[in-house]
Amino acid sequence: MKELVISKIKNGTVIDHINSGKALLVLKILGIDMETSLTVSMAMNVPSSKMGKKDIVKVEGMFISDDELNKIALISPNATINLIKDYEIERKFKVTPPEVVEGVLKCPNPMCISNAEREPVKSIFYISMEDKEVTARCHYCRRKIKDLAKYIS
Ligand SMILES: [Zn+2]
């Protein structure tokens, strides 16, 4: 099988084994947008022996905190993280879903206080695994959601 080689980075964070098509959402979760001055490279729908197809994101010159990286588990529970220093892998780990996320997901319940136009409050969701699927429950209205990629705000 042909392998797509993305340029190596000197220092920074590589997020591999992202579910295919979710790379842009990963950037959103990490707060990286069009305004960023960071060097970001991204590959989508790369052939993968484990996953069929996968996405990869590389962020040069930035070590993203574990807490931030673990939010990626909401949409890609199998993502792996490589922290690179001087072209070598310094640390490698799998993301684990956080117990609580604030301000990442949008509650689908229009009556929820987190969607109120007056005095909106920051969304808070409690994360759990149900049938190998990442599930979130709203702190305010208790609404339960799956397929979290739809609710990234
Ligand atoms: Zn809610």
Side-chain angles (χ1 to χ4, degrees), residues 1 17 21-22 30 33 48 87 95 98 103 130 150:
M1 183 168 31
H17 302 107
K22 298 289 189 285
L30 297 176
D33 59 18
S48 158
Y87 298 106
V95 294
E130 278 180 27
K150 285 188 203 157

Side-chain angles (χ1 to χ4, degrees), residues 105-112 114-115 125 138 141 143-145 151:
L105 298 165
K106 185 176 162 50
C107 185
N109 173 4
M111 302 306 288
C112 180
S114 67
N115 289 320
F125 278 85
C138 179
C141 71
R143 177 76 63 100
K144 202 201 265 185
I145 55 176
Y151 304 103

Side-chain angles (χ1 to χ4, degrees), residues 21-151:
K22 298 289 189 285
L24 288 169
L25 274 180
V26 164
L27 293 177
K28 196 170 182 187
I29 287 175
L30 297 176
I32 297 170
D33 59 18
M34 305 296 271
E35 312 280 292
T36 188
S37 55
L38 296 163
T39 303
V40 178
S41 45
M42 193 174 73
M44 295 177 80
N45 302 315
V46 179
S48 158
S49 50
K50 264 189 236 166
M51 305 173 67
K53 281 179 177 181
K54 65 176 182 180
D55 289 4
I56 304 171
V57 167
K58 300 189 179 195
V59 185
E60 176 91 55
M62 186 185 185
F63 294 98
I64 300 161
S65 74
D66 288 18
D67 282 353
E68 285 298 304
L69 290 167
N70 281 331
K71 289 180 192 166
I72 294 167
L74 300 178
I75 56 161
S76 272
N78 299 313
T80 52
I81 309 299
N82 293 294
L83 300 177
I84 311 291
K85 251 190 180 163
D86 280 326
Y87 298 106
E88 302 284 337
I89 296 173
E90 197 188 54
R91 192 155 75 88
K92 188 174 182 141
F93 63 97
K94 280 196 138 200
V95 294
T96 42
E99 285 177 19
V100 184
V101 287
E102 288 186 35
V104 178
L105 298 165
K106 185 176 162 50
C107 185
N109 173 4
M111 302 306 288
C112 180
I113 189 169
S114 67
N115 289 320
E117 277 187 32
R118 294 176 57 173
E119 303 177 59
V121 293
K122 211 177 194 184
S123 77
I124 300 175
F125 278 85
Y126 302 107
I127 310 301
S128 60
M129 293 296 286
E130 278 180 27
D131 307 324
K132 292 184 182 172
E133 223 187 320
V134 189
T135 304
R137 185 185 289 276
C138 179
H139 168 72
Y140 301 103
C141 71
R142 319 304 286 172
R143 177 76 63 100
K144 202 201 265 185
I145 55 176
K146 292 187 175 187
D147 195 6
L148 303 188
K150 285 188 203 157
Y151 304 103

